Amino acid sequence: MESMAYVAGLAPSVSYLTEYPSAEGIEAFAVEVFSNTQKTERWMTRPRASFNNLSPREYMSGGDDGAMRKVLESLIAINFGIYT
């Protein structure tokens, strides 16, 4: 199963995203992490040293699975209170 419909703005599970990363799914997960679309937008658009001074959205824009997983890993860390 390589594609998944995103129902009512819900993010796919983290385990699914780890296996099949997508920018849309990761952004939906970010909304869950930050509980606010404005905070999500701010985090997704600010350049970060951990992403080669690109924003997370820019870093994922090439569609590289490794880049998307790195953004996902950062969100998981934030979700667990480990700020990156």
Side-chain angles (χ1 to χ4, degrees), residues 61-75:
S61 69
D64 176 64
D65 285 357
M68 288 188 271
R69 283 186 184 103
K70 187 171 180 178
V71 172
L72 178 61
E73 289 168 1
S74 291
L75 287 167

Side-chain angles (χ1 to χ4, degrees), residues 44-77:
M44 291 298 293
T45 58
R46 285 197 178 156
R48 310 214 170 263
S50 58
F51 305 128
N52 299 327
N53 294 317
L54 298 172
S55 70
R57 189 173 288 149
E58 291 170 323
Y59 193 72
M60 294 190 303
S61 69
D64 176 64
D65 285 357
M68 288 188 271
R69 283 186 184 103
K70 187 171 180 178
V71 172
L72 178 61
E73 289 168 1
S74 291
L75 287 167
I76 292 167

Side-chain angles (χ1 to χ4, degrees), residues 10-31:
L10 297 177
S13 73
V14 173
S15 60
Y16 183 88
L17 283 173
T18 301
E19 187 71 25
Y20 306 103
S22 72
E24 297 84 8
I26 292 169
E27 290 214 29
F29 178 64
V31 172

